[in-house]
């Protein structure tokens, strides 16, 4: 009898899990990742972190699922990029438009610190709850640049760098003691554009006048009671109180389920279809380098040209693939590697398969280079892109070495054999070669921008000159075609390919376990797209970052912290 009762109870629980109302949950305490694991180590390290694409797909399916009654999200202190936040805001808005409630809870939006971007995310929900001891750090946008020229002078280090052109300010931290006028103009416009987006978003969501929101930004941060009085949050509550309210609204028998588990459960129940027509998703993230993608011990990974090119080839040659979405989240890097990826994007288009680029938080310099040949470039308003320019040179540390008592001698054959040695400066003839190299890269970059974007070369140069743009401003200038996120890019790819609105998406390369274990037969084999399981140094930390600070991944690089958080 006991055994029968156990069986009956088990069956009832299984039935309940299949039929009970659902409240989806998303915990952003650890943030989100915007790329698939590149290797087994990355897979282990990111095991407990949700992927943006899974969250977006889960919320899209939930909009049509009658079992799903609501969504509850906890926002933590882990920084989220502005473009990623805009993707989440868009997904939440569509979820709410389907008639489902969405509630957000935070212990604090900045504990005696800035919390503008996380609050911007929160205000997209039906109701915003804050722990009574929390704060709302709605304080605006600040972009800070440090300059080390004075310290380098004291050390006896000189940087000999050339740039194309005045807005390509990546090297200014080494060569200047403060912002140049073009540098200040560019950064000021980015801060202004981002502030416009955040103020408009908060005003619309909280039903406040934009001028009032701007006053609140200047008056922040706010204590919890002040935030309620200002209309920034709907109530003060602890986690248990918020979750109890959400459950009561959904039904006492409602089950709580993570959005990512909900999404993966749906995938597991859907059997693969042989010959099914699909959209390929190729994801490129991190600094761009020659060779295969790898992992950095400093965190994150690099976009290897061999890996991305092989993935694009695999998608291009697969008859089941009818369109490609190329997700780019990169500050740039190697010019040669970027050019190799650019070529494969063009070949994929020539094969009759539409290519849609979806930009993440940053797709600048080399990140723009790999994107510009696509049929359509899509970015969020807060994406940082452009930076169409180049710089290069070297640090000269001979004086520093002398102060340390280090001497060096060079034996060479060839007038320029030691040209890139950091112990001495460039000669006049060598500077002429550096200038020719910079001019060649810049001319090629701008020419391909003009070709890919349908601009005159003069207009492309005007938009280039190394300047970084927000996605909103890049759209106005013609460097970006449409504003939107990954979900929009996938929908557009399906439409361009004539596929059904729910046609499946497949990451490429798509390999079975045996293929992952065996070595590739050739560079044409799709297993050649696998990332190499190795640790990559951040630049040549292998060579002390180019022996003191040059971007290790190449001349099309946007160094420093450029993500708006």
């Amino acid at each position: 009898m006991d055994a029968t009762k156990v069986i009956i109870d088990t069956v009832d629980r299984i039935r309940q899990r299949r039929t009970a109302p659902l409240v989806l949950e998303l915990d952003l305490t650890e943030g989100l990742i915007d790329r698939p694991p590149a290797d087994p180590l990355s897979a282990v390290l990111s095991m407990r972190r949700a992927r943006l694409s899974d969250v977006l797909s889960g919320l899209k399916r939930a909009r049509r699922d009658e079992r799903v009654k609501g969504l509850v999200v906890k926002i933590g202190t882990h920084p989220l990029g502005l473009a990623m936040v805009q993707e989440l805001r868009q997904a939440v808005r569509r979820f709410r438009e389907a008639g489902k409630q969405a509630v957000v809870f935070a212990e604090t939006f900045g504990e005696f610190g800035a919390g503008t971007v996380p609050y911007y995310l929160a205000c997209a929900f039906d109701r915003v709850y804050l722990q009574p001891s929390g704060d709302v750090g709605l304080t605006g946008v600040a972009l800070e640049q440090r300059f080390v020229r004075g310290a380098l002078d004291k050390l006896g280090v000189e940087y000999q760098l050339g740039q194309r052109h005045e807005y390509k300010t990546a090297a200014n931290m080494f060569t200047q003691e403060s912002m140049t006028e073009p540098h200040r103009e560019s950064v000021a416009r980015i801060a202004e554009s981002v502030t416009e987006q955040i103020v408009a978003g908060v005003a619309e969501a909280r039903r406040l006048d934009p001028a009032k929101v701007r006053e609140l930004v200047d008056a922040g941060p706010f204590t919890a009671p002040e935030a309620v009085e200002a209309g920034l949050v709907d109530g003060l509550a602890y986690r248990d109180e918020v979750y109890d309210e959400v459950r009561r609204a959904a039904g006492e028998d409602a089950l709580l389920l993570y959005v990512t588990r909900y999404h993966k459960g749906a995938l597991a129940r859907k059997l693969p279809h042989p010959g099914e027509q699909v959209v390929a998703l190729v994801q490129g993230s991190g600094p761009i380098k020659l060779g295969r993608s790898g992992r950095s011990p400093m965190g994150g990974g690099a976009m290897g040209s061999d890996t991305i090119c092989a993935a694009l080839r695999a998608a291009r040659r697969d008859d089941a693939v009818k369109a490609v979405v190329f997700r780019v989240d990169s500050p740039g890097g190697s010019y040669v590697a970027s050019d190799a990826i650019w070529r494969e994007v063009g070949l994929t288009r020539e094969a009759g398969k539409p290519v849609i680029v979806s930009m993440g938080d940053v797709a600048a310099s080399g990140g723009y280079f790999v994107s510009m040949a696509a049929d359509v470039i899509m970015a969020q308003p807060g994406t940082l892109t452009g930076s169409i320019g180049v710089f290069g040179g070297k640090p000269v540390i001979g004086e520093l070495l002398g102060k340390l008592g280090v001497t060096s001698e060079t034996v060479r054959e060839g007038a320029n054999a030691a040209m890139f040695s950091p112990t001495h400066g460039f000669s006049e003839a060598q500077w002429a070669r550096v200038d020719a190299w910079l001019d060649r890269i810049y001319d090629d970059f701008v020419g391909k921008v003009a070709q890919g974007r349908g601009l005159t070369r003069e207009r492309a140069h005007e938009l280039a000159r190394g300047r970084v743009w927000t996605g909103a401003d890049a759209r106005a200038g013609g460097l970006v075609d449409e504003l939107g996120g990954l979900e929009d890019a996938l929908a557009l790819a399906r439409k361009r390919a004539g596929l059904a609105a729910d046609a499946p998406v497949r990451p490429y390369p798509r390999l079975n376990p045996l293929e992952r274990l065996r070595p590739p037969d050739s560079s044409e084999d799709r297993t050649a797209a696998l990332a190499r399981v190795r640790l990559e140094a951040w630049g040549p930390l292998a060579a002390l970052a180019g022996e003191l600070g040059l971007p290790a991944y190449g001349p099309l690089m946007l160094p420093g912290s450029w993500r708006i958080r």
Side-chain angles (χ1 to χ4, degrees):
M1 190 66 119
D2 289 342
T4 302
K5 185 176 185 305
V6 169
I7 292 172
I8 292 173
D9 288 345
T10 301
V11 170
D12 285 343
R13 283 197 300 271
I14 293 173
R15 184 183 298 115
Q16 183 188 23
R17 292 193 69 85
R18 289 184 174 276
T19 60
L22 293 177
V23 173
L24 299 184
E25 181 182 15
L26 177 60
D27 188 344
L28 295 175
T29 303
E30 298 298 322
L32 291 176
I33 53 175
D34 191 14
R35 59 182 176 272
D39 54 68
L41 176 60
S42 298
V44 171
L45 293 176
S46 64
M47 190 177 296
R48 300 190 65 84
R49 294 179 64 190
R51 279 176 54 189
L52 176 64
S53 58
D54 290 345
V55 171
L56 297 177
S57 296
L59 291 178
K60 180 182 178 183
R61 175 174 174 261
R63 300 200 300 259
R64 305 186 300 271
D65 188 344
E66 293 184 358
R67 286 186 65 201
V68 176
K69 304 301 181 184
L71 169 70
V72 58
V73 174
K74 179 187 176 186
I75 295 180
T77 57
H78 194 287
L80 294 171
L82 179 61
M84 182 181 287
V85 161
Q86 289 174 333
E87 295 233 23
L88 290 172
R89 282 175 53 88
Q90 182 174 293
V92 169
R93 184 171 64 250
R94 290 171 176 171
F95 183 85
R96 292 174 58 191
E97 288 170 353
K100 301 173 190 287
Q101 69 161 347
V103 174
V104 68
F105 163 74
E107 290 149 337
T108 186
F109 296 105
E111 186 172 9
F112 199 72
T116 299
V117 173
Y119 177 74
Y120 173 56
L121 169 59
C123 69
F125 289 73
D126 288 293
R127 295 192 300 285
V128 181
Y129 289 104
L130 177 66
Q131 189 166 295
S133 54
D135 305 289
V136 175
L138 183 64
T139 56
V141 176
L143 299 175
E144 186 174 358
Q145 173 76 66
R146 288 183 174 84
F147 297 87
V148 298
R149 168 69 185 273
L152 295 176
D153 286 346
K154 292 177 181 179
L155 291 172
V157 176
E158 177 193 1
Y159 269 83
Q160 293 189 337
L161 296 169
Q163 61 195 52
R164 301 292 184 275
H165 280 275
E166 70 272 28
Y167 292 103
K168 192 67 175 179
T169 57
N172 284 9
M173 66 177 295
F174 303 115
T175 61
Q176 305 292 328
E177 294 182 345
S178 61
M179 290 186 183
T180 62
E181 283 306 310
H183 192 168
R184 183 174 298 279
E185 177 192 349
S186 176
V187 174
R189 176 53 200 160
I190 291 170
E192 182 181 36
S193 177
V194 169
T195 301
E196 290 168 355
Q197 295 168 36
I198 291 175
V199 167
V202 172
E204 179 184 11
R206 301 304 300 176
R207 297 180 177 85
L208 297 169
D209 185 85
K212 176 62 177 177
V213 175
R214 192 59 201 251
E215 289 177 12
L216 291 172
V217 168
D218 291 336
F222 301 91
T223 64
E226 290 170 342
V228 173
E229 185 179 352
L232 295 174
V233 301
D234 296 291
L236 305 182
Y238 289 94
R239 180 194 180 280
D240 60 292
E241 296 172 310
V242 174
Y243 276 62
D244 285 347
E245 178 185 316
V246 171
R247 281 196 176 97
R248 282 195 301 272
E252 292 299 331
D253 58 340
L255 299 176
L256 198 63
L257 185 65
Y258 280 124
V259 176
T260 49
R261 293 295 298 272
Y262 171 78
H263 168 65
K264 290 174 181 176
L267 289 181
R269 290 191 295 272
K270 185 177 179 181
L271 295 175
H273 229 292
E276 193 172 32
Q277 294 185 337
V278 303
V279 173
L281 176 60
V282 177
Q283 292 187 272
S285 182
I288 301 169
K289 61 183 281 294
L290 289 166
R292 287 162 67 178
S293 299
R295 178 169 180 78
S296 165
M298 308 295 287
M303 186 197 309
S305 56
D306 286 357
T307 299
I308 301 300
C309 289
L312 289 168
R313 281 196 298 270
R316 184 166 72 244
R317 293 171 180 173
D318 190 333
D319 291 337
V321 172
K322 299 304 177 184
V324 176
V325 170
F326 183 18
R327 177 73 168 181
V328 179
D329 190 15
S330 171
S334 165
Y335 160 63
V336 177
S338 299
D339 193 40
I341 297 171
W342 172 87
R343 172 68 174 174
E344 291 294 338
V345 170
L347 289 174
T348 303
R349 287 184 63 188
E350 290 175 13
K353 299 190 178 185
V355 179
I356 312 298
V357 160
S358 171
M359 290 180 166
D361 286 323
V362 179
S365 204
Y368 189 81
F369 199 113
V370 302
S371 304
M372 61 189 176
D375 290 275
V376 176
I377 297 176
M378 192 171 288
Q380 289 289 358
T383 297
L384 295 181
T385 188
S387 192
I388 301 162
V390 58
F391 76 100
K394 67 177 181 179
V396 181
I397 60 174
E399 183 181 340
L400 171 62
L401 294 177
K403 290 179 179 180
L404 298 174
V406 177
T407 59
S408 63
E409 291 188 33
T410 303
V411 176
R412 65 187 181 196
E413 285 290 335
N416 295 324
M419 176 176 173
F420 297 106
S421 169
T423 58
H424 55 80
F426 291 121
S427 68
E428 188 174 331
Q430 290 166 349
W431 255 121
R433 298 308 305 151
V434 171
D435 280 334
W437 179 75
L438 294 171
D439 287 338
R440 177 180 66 91
I441 294 175
Y442 184 76
D443 288 345
D444 184 50
F445 200 165
V446 171
K448 285 173 176 170
V449 169
Q451 173 190 340
R453 300 288 87 210
L455 303 169
T456 64
R457 196 189 183 289
E458 291 72 23
R459 177 56 177 161
H461 170 63
E462 184 181 338
L463 293 166
R465 297 186 290 165
R467 183 161 182 170
V468 181
W469 304 94
T470 62
D473 287 348
R475 168 70 180 85
L479 295 178
V480 164
D481 296 297
E482 297 186 24
L483 297 179
L486 180 59
E487 187 179 327
D488 299 304
L490 292 170
L492 181 59
R494 292 182 180 104
K495 183 178 179 181
R496 287 285 183 109
L499 300 177
D502 61 348
V505 177
R506 295 286 181 262
Y508 270 72
R510 188 169 176 80
L511 307 173
N512 62 48
L514 288 178
E515 287 177 315
R516 288 182 175 276
L517 292 174
R518 72 168 178 81
D521 293 329
S522 72
S523 61
E524 299 288 311
D525 192 327
R526 60 181 182 169
T527 62
L530 279 175
R532 184 167 295 181
V533 184
R534 66 181 181 191
L535 292 182
E536 289 285 344
W538 139 78
L541 192 56
L544 190 58
E547 295 202 55
L548 246 103
L550 282 177
Y553 286 102
L556 302 187
M557 187 67 181
L558 188 70
S561 179
W562 276 87
R563 295 178 190 269
I564 308 294
R565 290 170 170 169

